[in-house]
Amino acid sequence: MMFSAEDHVFMSRAIALTAKGRDTSTPNPNVGCVLVKGGRIIGEGWHAKAGEPHAEANALAAASESPEGATAYVTLEPCSHVGRTPPCADALVKAGVARVLAALEDPNPKVKGQGGARLRDAGIGYETGLMEAQARDAHRGYLTRMTKGRPWMRIKAAASLDGRIALANGESKWITGEAARRDVHALRARSCAMLTGIGTVLRDDPELTVRDVPSSRQPRRILIDSRLDIGLEARLLRGEPPIIFTVSEDKAKRALLEGLGAEVVTAPTDPAKPGKTDLAAIARALGERGFNEVTIETGAKLNGSLLAAGVIDEIVLYLAPRFFGDTAQSLFALPEFTSLEQALRPRLVDVRQVGEDLRLTLRMEG
């Protein structure tokens, strides 16, 4: 179907509204909705939090006049099942809208195609595909979880221009400037969870919390600690308890950590690496817990292992204008490649200056 310039304008607004629920709607999608009548916006809404009204219901409630005969622009197919809130497709039918344009079909088996069918059966014009690429990006965490069974997994790293994340002696604070560090906290704020490895905890003792930007929530902290080496005084154990994935059978250490509130989860062992956790299985476990986006801040070894496991979707790399030299620690511990054809080839999707540093955003294909 051909969509008009006006259709694009109003769907652009609906996509912009998704940002309002991006940090809080998980595990639900951060849908945006705009109601238009006579070429004017009469109502708009977004989904703010699971258990609260969805975008369509909020837009209908905010309508400045009767929505009968209006067009609804929504970033994802309206739901058709009863959850903690009534079906949005039924609400649109009851309101008497004449037309619904959805950017995407919802891949959730509880919804897929059924919301659109309910609207069409009620005589409402229903089409999908308007600004699909932009909506996919806005809903990438939810869509990844629905289609791959795991969250959108993002590695965040800071490095020198020669690709080093720390000096040989481990010193790394601070590689980047204050503006880049604030930007990292904004990235944390949009994440459902922050993941790190035991090497980073033992070396840097991070908090992995949002501090430098306003945030309505703190991401859940996740630690991969195969042998339960974390110290009981680690800052990761303060505040909301973390989830610790391990293959250790040390019942005494587990009891101590659980006594501090940590959730200790026995992870499957990687069949190719005895004594190590299965990273693909951990990614699936995070999806089962409803996490849509997970940001990873860790060292070269786990960064490389996650890439090798095929569970990384995005890399956000902050490059500082400095050189650390050959003896400094590298970004990714990867196996040796013997030809250029073997090299990983992420797609560069964004480059911008943040303070005195560069931020590169790269996407892994496939």
Coordinates of all heavy atoms in Angstrom, one line a residue, residues 196-281:
T196 N 28.0 -8.0 33.7 CA 29.5 -8.0 33.7 C 30.0 -9.3 34.1 O 29.3 -10.3 34.4 CB 29.9 -6.9 34.7 OG1 31.3 -6.7 34.5 CG2 29.7 -7.3 36.2
G197 N 31.3 -9.5 34.1 CA 32.0 -10.7 34.5 C 32.8 -10.5 35.7 O 33.1 -9.4 36.2
I198 N 33.2 -11.7 36.3 CA 33.9 -11.6 37.6 C 35.2 -10.9 37.5 O 35.7 -10.3 38.4 CB 34.0 -13.1 38.2 CG1 34.6 -13.0 39.6 CG2 34.9 -13.9 37.2 CD1 33.8 -12.2 40.5
G199 N 35.9 -11.0 36.3 CA 37.2 -10.3 36.2 C 37.1 -8.8 36.4 O 37.9 -8.2 37.1
T200 N 36.0 -8.2 35.8 CA 35.8 -6.8 36.0 C 35.4 -6.5 37.4 O 35.9 -5.4 38.0 CB 34.6 -6.4 35.1 OG1 35.0 -6.7 33.7 CG2 34.3 -4.9 35.2
V201 N 34.7 -7.3 38.1 CA 34.3 -7.1 39.5 C 35.5 -7.1 40.4 O 35.7 -6.2 41.3 CB 33.2 -8.1 40.0 CG1 33.0 -8.0 41.5 CG2 31.9 -7.8 39.2
L202 N 36.4 -8.1 40.2 CA 37.6 -8.2 41.0 C 38.6 -7.1 40.7 O 39.3 -6.6 41.7 CB 38.3 -9.5 40.8 CG 37.5 -10.8 41.2 CD1 38.2 -12.1 40.8 CD2 37.2 -10.8 42.7
R203 N 38.6 -6.6 39.5 CA 39.6 -5.5 39.1 C 39.1 -4.1 39.5 O 39.8 -3.3 40.0 CB 39.9 -5.7 37.6 CG 40.9 -4.7 37.1 CD 41.2 -4.8 35.6 NE 40.0 -4.5 34.9 CZ 39.3 -5.5 34.2 NH1 39.7 -6.7 34.2 NH2 38.2 -5.1 33.5
D204 N 37.8 -3.9 39.1 CA 37.3 -2.5 39.2 C 36.2 -2.3 40.3 O 35.9 -1.1 40.6 CB 36.7 -2.1 37.8 CG 37.7 -2.1 36.7 OD1 38.9 -1.9 37.0 OD2 37.3 -2.3 35.5
D205 N 35.6 -3.3 40.8 CA 34.6 -3.2 41.8 C 33.5 -2.2 41.4 O 33.2 -1.3 42.1 CB 35.1 -2.8 43.2 CG 34.2 -3.0 44.3 OD1 33.2 -3.8 44.1 OD2 34.3 -2.4 45.4
P206 N 32.8 -2.4 40.2 CA 31.8 -1.5 39.7 C 30.5 -1.6 40.4 O 30.2 -2.6 41.0 CB 31.7 -1.9 38.2 CG 31.9 -3.4 38.3 CD 33.0 -3.6 39.3
E207 N 29.7 -0.5 40.4 CA 28.4 -0.5 40.9 C 27.4 -0.9 39.8 O 26.4 -1.5 40.1 CB 28.0 0.9 41.4 CG 28.8 1.3 42.7 CD 28.3 2.7 43.2 OE1 27.1 2.8 43.6 OE2 29.1 3.6 43.1
L208 N 27.6 -0.4 38.6 CA 26.8 -0.7 37.4 C 25.4 -0.1 37.6 O 24.4 -0.7 37.3 CB 26.7 -2.2 37.1 CG 27.9 -2.8 36.6 CD1 27.7 -4.3 36.2 CD2 28.5 -2.1 35.4
T209 N 25.3 1.1 38.3 CA 24.0 1.8 38.5 C 24.0 3.0 37.6 O 25.0 3.5 37.1 CB 23.9 2.2 40.0 OG1 25.0 2.9 40.4 CG2 23.8 0.9 40.8
V210 N 22.8 3.6 37.5 CA 22.6 4.9 36.8 C 22.7 6.0 37.9 O 22.0 6.0 38.9 CB 21.2 4.9 36.2 CG1 21.0 6.3 35.5 CG2 21.0 3.8 35.2
R211 N 23.6 6.9 37.6 CA 23.9 7.9 38.6 C 23.9 9.3 38.0 O 23.5 10.3 38.7 CB 25.2 7.7 39.3 CG 25.3 6.4 40.1 CD 26.6 6.2 40.9 NE 27.8 6.2 40.0 CZ 28.2 5.1 39.4 NH1 27.5 4.0 39.5 NH2 29.3 5.2 38.6
D212 N 24.4 9.5 36.8 CA 24.7 10.8 36.3 C 23.6 11.4 35.4 O 23.7 12.5 35.0 CB 26.0 10.8 35.4 CG 27.2 10.5 36.3 OD1 27.1 10.6 37.5 OD2 28.3 10.3 35.7
V213 N 22.5 10.7 35.3 CA 21.3 11.2 34.5 C 20.1 10.8 35.3 O 20.1 9.8 36.0 CB 21.3 10.6 33.1 CG1 22.5 11.0 32.3 CG2 21.1 9.1 33.1
P214 N 19.0 11.6 35.1 CA 17.7 11.2 35.7 C 17.3 9.8 35.3 O 17.4 9.5 34.1 CB 16.7 12.3 35.3 CG 17.6 13.4 34.9 CD 18.8 12.8 34.3
S215 N 16.7 9.0 36.2 CA 16.3 7.7 35.8 C 15.1 7.2 36.7 O 15.3 7.4 38.0 CB 17.4 6.7 35.8 OG 16.9 5.4 35.5
S216 N 14.1 6.7 36.2 CA 13.0 6.2 37.0 C 13.1 4.8 37.5 O 12.3 4.3 38.3 CB 11.7 6.3 36.2 OG 11.8 5.5 35.0
R217 N 14.2 4.2 37.2 CA 14.5 2.8 37.6 C 16.0 2.6 37.6 O 16.8 3.3 36.9 CB 13.8 1.8 36.8 CG 14.4 1.8 35.4 CD 14.0 0.6 34.5 NE 14.6 0.6 33.2 CZ 14.4 -0.2 32.3 NH1 13.6 -1.3 32.4 NH2 15.1 -0.1 31.1
Q218 N 16.4 1.5 38.3 CA 17.8 1.0 38.2 C 17.8 -0.3 37.4 O 16.9 -1.1 37.7 CB 18.4 0.8 39.5 CG 18.8 2.1 40.2 CD 20.0 2.9 39.6 OE1 20.7 2.3 38.8 NE2 20.1 4.2 39.9
P219 N 18.7 -0.5 36.5 CA 18.7 -1.8 35.8 C 19.1 -2.9 36.7 O 19.8 -2.7 37.7 CB 19.7 -1.6 34.7 CG 20.6 -0.4 35.2 CD 19.7 0.4 36.0
R220 N 18.6 -4.1 36.5 CA 19.0 -5.2 37.3 C 20.5 -5.6 37.0 O 20.9 -5.5 35.8 CB 18.1 -6.4 36.9 CG 18.3 -7.6 37.9 CD 17.6 -7.3 39.2 NE 17.9 -8.4 40.2 CZ 17.1 -9.5 40.4 NH1 16.1 -9.7 39.6 NH2 17.4 -10.4 41.3
R221 N 21.3 -5.8 38.0 CA 22.7 -6.2 37.8 C 22.9 -7.7 37.7 O 22.3 -8.4 38.5 CB 23.5 -5.6 38.9 CG 23.9 -4.1 38.7 CD 23.3 -3.2 39.8 NE 23.0 -3.7 41.1 CZ 23.7 -3.5 42.2 NH1 24.8 -2.7 42.1 NH2 23.3 -3.9 43.4
I222 N 23.7 -8.1 36.7 CA 23.9 -9.5 36.4 C 25.4 -9.8 36.4 O 26.1 -9.1 35.7 CB 23.2 -9.9 35.1 CG1 21.7 -9.7 35.1 CG2 23.5 -11.4 34.8 CD1 21.1 -9.6 33.8
L223 N 25.8 -10.8 37.0 CA 27.2 -11.2 37.1 C 27.4 -12.6 36.6 O 26.6 -13.6 37.0 CB 27.7 -11.1 38.5 CG 29.1 -11.6 38.8 CD1 30.2 -10.8 38.0 CD2 29.4 -11.6 40.3
I224 N 28.3 -12.8 35.7 CA 28.7 -14.2 35.3 C 30.0 -14.5 36.1 O 31.0 -13.9 36.0 CB 29.0 -14.3 33.8 CG1 27.7 -14.0 33.1 CG2 29.5 -15.7 33.4 CD1 27.8 -14.0 31.6
D225 N 29.9 -15.5 37.0 CA 30.9 -15.8 38.0 C 31.0 -17.3 38.1 O 30.4 -17.9 39.0 CB 30.7 -15.1 39.3 CG 31.8 -15.4 40.3 OD1 32.8 -16.0 40.0 OD2 31.6 -14.9 41.5
S226 N 31.7 -18.0 37.2 CA 31.7 -19.4 37.1 C 32.1 -20.1 38.4 O 31.5 -21.1 38.8 CB 32.7 -19.9 36.0 OG 32.2 -19.4 34.8
R227 N 33.0 -19.5 39.2 CA 33.5 -20.2 40.4 C 33.1 -19.5 41.7 O 33.5 -19.9 42.8 CB 35.1 -20.2 40.4 CG 35.6 -21.0 39.2 CD 37.1 -21.1 39.2 NE 37.7 -19.7 39.3 CZ 38.9 -19.4 38.9 NH1 39.7 -20.3 38.4 NH2 39.4 -18.1 39.0
L228 N 32.2 -18.5 41.6 CA 31.7 -17.8 42.8 C 32.9 -17.1 43.5 O 33.1 -17.2 44.7 CB 30.9 -18.6 43.7 CG 29.5 -19.1 43.2 CD1 28.8 -19.9 44.3 CD2 28.7 -17.9 42.8
D229 N 33.7 -16.4 42.7 CA 34.9 -15.7 43.3 C 34.6 -14.3 43.8 O 35.5 -13.7 44.4 CB 36.0 -15.6 42.2 CG 36.6 -16.9 41.9 OD1 36.7 -17.7 42.8 OD2 37.0 -17.1 40.7
I230 N 33.3 -13.8 43.7 CA 33.0 -12.5 44.1 C 33.2 -12.4 45.7 O 32.9 -13.3 46.4 CB 31.6 -12.1 43.7 CG1 31.3 -10.6 44.1 CG2 30.6 -13.1 44.4 CD1 29.9 -10.1 43.6
G231 N 33.8 -11.2 46.1 CA 34.0 -11.0 47.5 C 32.7 -10.5 48.1 O 31.8 -9.8 47.4
L232 N 32.5 -10.7 49.4 CA 31.2 -10.4 50.0 C 31.1 -8.9 50.2 O 30.0 -8.4 50.6 CB 31.1 -11.1 51.4 CG 31.1 -12.6 51.3 CD1 30.9 -13.2 52.7 CD2 30.0 -13.1 50.4
E233 N 32.2 -8.1 50.1 CA 32.2 -6.7 50.2 C 32.0 -5.9 48.9 O 32.0 -4.7 48.8 CB 33.4 -6.2 50.9 CG 33.6 -6.7 52.3 CD 32.5 -6.4 53.2 OE1 32.0 -5.3 53.2 OE2 32.1 -7.3 54.0
A234 N 31.8 -6.7 47.8 CA 31.8 -6.1 46.5 C 30.6 -5.1 46.4 O 29.5 -5.4 46.9 CB 31.6 -7.2 45.4
R235 N 30.8 -4.0 45.7 CA 29.7 -3.0 45.6 C 28.5 -3.5 44.8 O 27.4 -3.0 44.9 CB 30.3 -1.7 45.0 CG 31.3 -1.0 45.9 CD 31.5 0.4 45.4 NE 32.3 0.5 44.2 CZ 32.6 1.6 43.6 NH1 32.2 2.8 44.1 NH2 33.3 1.6 42.5
L236 N 28.7 -4.5 44.0 CA 27.7 -5.1 43.2 C 26.6 -5.7 44.1 O 25.4 -5.9 43.7 CB 28.2 -6.2 42.2 CG 27.4 -6.5 41.0 CD1 27.4 -5.3 40.1 CD2 27.9 -7.7 40.3
L237 N 27.0 -6.1 45.3 CA 26.1 -6.7 46.3 C 25.3 -5.7 47.1 O 24.5 -6.1 48.0 CB 26.8 -7.6 47.2 CG 27.5 -8.8 46.5 CD1 28.4 -9.6 47.5 CD2 26.4 -9.8 45.9
R238 N 25.5 -4.4 46.9 CA 24.8 -3.4 47.6 C 23.6 -2.9 46.8 O 23.6 -3.0 45.6 CB 25.7 -2.1 47.8 CG 27.0 -2.4 48.6 CD 27.8 -1.2 48.7 NE 29.2 -1.5 49.2 CZ 30.2 -0.6 49.3 NH1 30.0 0.6 48.8 NH2 31.3 -1.0 49.7
G239 N 22.6 -2.4 47.4 CA 21.4 -2.0 46.7 C 20.6 -3.2 46.3 O 20.5 -4.3 46.9
E240 N 19.8 -3.1 45.1 CA 19.0 -4.2 44.7 C 19.9 -5.4 44.4 O 20.9 -5.3 43.7 CB 18.3 -3.8 43.4 CG 17.3 -4.9 42.9 CD 16.6 -4.6 41.7 OE1 16.8 -3.4 41.1 OE2 15.7 -5.4 41.2
P241 N 19.6 -6.6 44.9 CA 20.5 -7.7 44.8 C 20.7 -8.1 43.3 O 19.7 -8.1 42.5 CB 19.7 -8.8 45.6 CG 18.8 -8.1 46.5 CD 18.4 -6.9 45.8
P242 N 21.9 -8.6 43.0 CA 22.1 -9.0 41.6 C 21.7 -10.4 41.3 O 21.4 -11.2 42.3 CB 23.7 -8.8 41.5 CG 24.1 -9.2 42.9 CD 23.1 -8.6 43.8
I243 N 21.7 -10.8 40.1 CA 21.6 -12.2 39.7 C 23.0 -12.7 39.4 O 23.7 -12.0 38.6 CB 20.7 -12.4 38.4 CG1 19.3 -11.8 38.7 CG2 20.6 -13.8 38.0 CD1 18.5 -11.7 37.5
I244 N 23.4 -13.8 39.9 CA 24.7 -14.3 39.7 C 24.6 -15.7 39.0 O 24.0 -16.6 39.6 CB 25.5 -14.5 41.0 CG1 25.7 -13.1 41.7 CG2 26.9 -15.1 40.7 CD1 26.3 -13.2 43.1
F245 N 25.1 -15.8 37.8 CA 25.1 -17.1 37.1 C 26.5 -17.8 37.3 O 27.5 -17.2 37.2 CB 24.9 -16.8 35.6 CG 23.5 -16.5 35.2 CD1 23.2 -15.1 35.0 CD2 22.6 -17.5 35.0 CE1 21.9 -14.8 34.7 CE2 21.3 -17.1 34.7 CZ 20.9 -15.8 34.5
T246 N 26.4 -19.1 37.7 CA 27.6 -19.8 38.1 C 27.4 -21.3 37.7 O 26.3 -21.8 37.5 CB 27.9 -19.7 39.6 OG1 29.1 -20.3 39.9 CG2 26.8 -20.3 40.4
V247 N 28.6 -22.0 37.6 CA 28.6 -23.4 37.5 C 29.2 -24.0 38.8 O 29.4 -25.2 38.9 CB 29.3 -23.9 36.3 CG1 28.6 -23.5 35.0 CG2 30.8 -23.4 36.2
S248 N 29.5 -23.2 39.8 CA 30.1 -23.6 41.0 C 29.1 -24.5 41.8 O 27.9 -24.1 41.9 CB 30.6 -22.4 41.8 OG 31.0 -22.9 43.1
E249 N 29.6 -25.5 42.5 CA 28.9 -26.3 43.4 C 29.2 -25.9 44.9 O 28.9 -26.7 45.8 CB 29.1 -27.7 43.2 CG 28.6 -28.2 41.8 CD 28.9 -29.6 41.5 OE1 29.4 -30.3 42.4 OE2 28.5 -30.1 40.4
D250 N 29.8 -24.8 45.1 CA 30.2 -24.4 46.4 C 28.9 -23.9 47.2 O 28.5 -22.7 47.1 CB 31.2 -23.2 46.3 CG 31.8 -22.8 47.7 OD1 31.2 -23.1 48.7 OD2 32.9 -22.2 47.7
K251 N 28.3 -24.8 48.0 CA 27.1 -24.5 48.7 C 27.3 -23.5 49.8 O 26.4 -22.7 50.0 CB 26.5 -25.8 49.2 CG 26.1 -26.8 48.2 CD 25.5 -28.1 48.8 CE 25.0 -29.0 47.7 NZ 24.5 -30.3 48.3
A252 N 28.4 -23.5 50.4 CA 28.7 -22.5 51.5 C 28.7 -21.1 51.0 O 28.1 -20.2 51.5 CB 30.0 -22.9 52.2
K253 N 29.5 -20.9 49.8 CA 29.6 -19.6 49.3 C 28.2 -19.1 48.7 O 27.8 -18.0 48.9 CB 30.6 -19.6 48.2 CG 30.9 -18.2 47.5 CD 31.5 -17.2 48.6 CE 31.8 -15.9 48.0 NZ 33.0 -15.9 47.1
R254 N 27.5 -20.1 48.1 CA 26.2 -19.7 47.6 C 25.3 -19.2 48.8 O 24.5 -18.2 48.6 CB 25.5 -21.0 46.9 CG 24.1 -20.7 46.4 CD 23.5 -22.0 46.0 NE 24.1 -22.5 44.8 CZ 23.6 -22.4 43.5 NH1 22.5 -21.8 43.4 NH2 24.2 -22.9 42.5
A255 N 25.3 -19.9 49.9 CA 24.5 -19.6 51.0 C 24.8 -18.2 51.6 O 24.0 -17.4 51.9 CB 24.6 -20.6 52.2
L256 N 26.1 -17.8 51.6 CA 26.6 -16.5 52.0 C 26.0 -15.4 51.1 O 25.5 -14.4 51.5 CB 28.1 -16.5 52.1 CG 28.7 -17.2 53.2 CD1 30.2 -17.3 53.0 CD2 28.4 -16.6 54.6
L257 N 26.1 -15.7 49.8 CA 25.6 -14.7 48.8 C 24.1 -14.5 48.9 O 23.6 -13.4 48.8 CB 26.1 -15.1 47.4 CG 27.6 -15.0 47.2 CD1 28.0 -15.7 45.8 CD2 28.0 -13.6 47.1
E258 N 23.4 -15.7 49.0 CA 22.0 -15.6 49.1 C 21.6 -14.9 50.4 O 20.5 -14.2 50.4 CB 21.4 -17.0 49.0 CG 21.5 -17.6 47.6 CD 21.1 -19.0 47.5 OE1 21.0 -19.7 48.6 OE2 20.8 -19.5 46.4
G259 N 22.4 -15.1 51.4 CA 22.1 -14.4 52.7 C 22.2 -12.9 52.5 O 21.5 -12.1 53.3
L260 N 23.0 -12.4 51.6 CA 23.1 -11.0 51.3 C 22.0 -10.5 50.2 O 22.0 -9.4 49.9 CB 24.4 -10.7 50.7 CG 25.6 -10.8 51.7 CD1 26.9 -10.6 51.0 CD2 25.5 -9.8 52.9
G261 N 21.2 -11.5 49.8 CA 20.1 -11.1 48.9 C 20.3 -11.5 47.5 O 19.4 -11.4 46.6
A262 N 21.5 -11.9 47.1 CA 21.8 -12.2 45.7 C 21.0 -13.4 45.3 O 20.8 -14.4 46.1 CB 23.3 -12.5 45.5
E263 N 20.6 -13.4 44.0 CA 20.0 -14.6 43.4 C 21.0 -15.4 42.7 O 21.6 -14.9 41.7 CB 18.8 -14.2 42.5 CG 18.1 -15.4 41.8 CD 17.1 -15.0 40.8 OE1 16.8 -13.8 40.7 OE2 16.5 -15.9 40.2
V264 N 21.4 -16.6 43.2 CA 22.4 -17.4 42.6 C 21.8 -18.4 41.7 O 21.0 -19.3 42.2 CB 23.4 -18.0 43.7 CG1 24.5 -18.8 43.0 CG2 23.9 -16.9 44.6
V265 N 22.1 -18.4 40.4 CA 21.5 -19.3 39.5 C 22.6 -20.3 38.9 O 23.6 -19.8 38.4 CB 20.8 -18.5 38.3 CG1 20.2 -19.5 37.3 CG2 19.8 -17.6 38.9
T266 N 22.3 -21.6 39.0 CA 23.2 -22.5 38.4 C 22.9 -22.5 36.8 O 21.8 -22.8 36.4 CB 22.9 -23.9 38.9 OG1 23.1 -23.9 40.3 CG2 23.8 -24.9 38.3
A267 N 24.0 -22.2 36.1 CA 23.9 -22.1 34.7 C 24.4 -23.4 34.0 O 25.2 -24.1 34.6 CB 24.7 -20.9 34.2
P268 N 23.9 -23.7 32.8 CA 24.5 -24.8 32.1 C 26.0 -24.6 31.8 O 26.4 -23.5 31.6 CB 23.7 -24.9 30.8 CG 22.4 -24.1 31.1 CD 22.8 -23.0 32.1
T269 N 26.7 -25.7 31.8 CA 28.1 -25.6 31.4 C 28.3 -25.6 29.9 O 27.6 -26.3 29.2 CB 28.9 -26.8 32.0 OG1 28.7 -26.8 33.5 CG2 30.4 -26.7 31.7
D270 N 29.2 -24.7 29.5 CA 29.5 -24.7 28.0 C 30.2 -26.0 27.6 O 31.2 -26.4 28.2 CB 30.5 -23.5 27.8 CG 30.8 -23.3 26.3 OD1 30.6 -24.2 25.5 OD2 31.1 -22.1 26.0
P271 N 29.5 -26.7 26.7 CA 30.1 -28.0 26.3 C 31.5 -28.0 25.7 O 32.2 -28.9 25.8 CB 29.0 -28.5 25.3 CG 28.3 -27.3 24.8 CD 28.3 -26.4 26.0
A272 N 31.8 -26.8 25.2 CA 33.2 -26.7 24.6 C 34.2 -26.1 25.5 O 35.4 -26.2 25.2 CB 33.1 -25.7 23.3
K273 N 33.7 -25.7 26.7 CA 34.7 -25.1 27.7 C 34.3 -25.6 29.1 O 33.5 -24.9 29.8 CB 34.6 -23.6 27.7 CG 35.0 -23.0 26.3 CD 34.9 -21.5 26.3 CE 35.3 -20.8 25.0 NZ 35.1 -19.4 25.0
P274 N 34.8 -26.8 29.5 CA 34.4 -27.3 30.8 C 34.8 -26.3 31.9 O 35.8 -25.7 31.9 CB 35.3 -28.6 30.9 CG 35.6 -28.9 29.5 CD 35.6 -27.7 28.7
G275 N 33.8 -26.2 32.9 CA 34.0 -25.2 34.0 C 33.6 -23.8 33.7 O 33.6 -23.0 34.6
K276 N 33.1 -23.6 32.5 CA 32.7 -22.2 32.1 C 31.2 -22.3 31.8 O 30.6 -23.3 31.4 CB 33.4 -21.7 30.9 CG 34.9 -21.6 31.0 CD 35.2 -20.5 32.0 CE 36.7 -20.2 32.1 NZ 37.0 -19.2 33.1
T277 N 30.5 -21.1 32.1 CA 29.1 -21.0 31.8 C 28.8 -21.0 30.3 O 29.5 -20.5 29.5 CB 28.5 -19.8 32.5 OG1 29.2 -18.6 32.0 CG2 28.6 -19.9 34.0
D278 N 27.6 -21.5 30.0 CA 27.1 -21.5 28.6 C 26.5 -20.1 28.4 O 25.4 -19.8 28.8 CB 26.1 -22.6 28.4 CG 25.6 -22.7 26.9 OD1 25.6 -21.7 26.2 OD2 25.3 -23.9 26.5
L279 N 27.2 -19.3 27.6 CA 26.7 -17.9 27.4 C 25.4 -17.8 26.6 O 24.6 -16.9 26.9 CB 27.8 -17.1 26.8 CG 29.1 -16.9 27.6 CD1 30.2 -16.2 26.8 CD2 28.8 -16.2 28.9
A280 N 25.2 -18.6 25.7 CA 24.0 -18.6 24.9 C 22.8 -19.0 25.8 O 21.7 -18.4 25.7 CB 24.1 -19.6 23.7
A281 N 23.0 -20.0 26.7 CA 22.0 -20.4 27.6 C 21.6 -19.2 28.6 O 20.5 -19.0 28.9 CB 22.4 -21.6 28.4

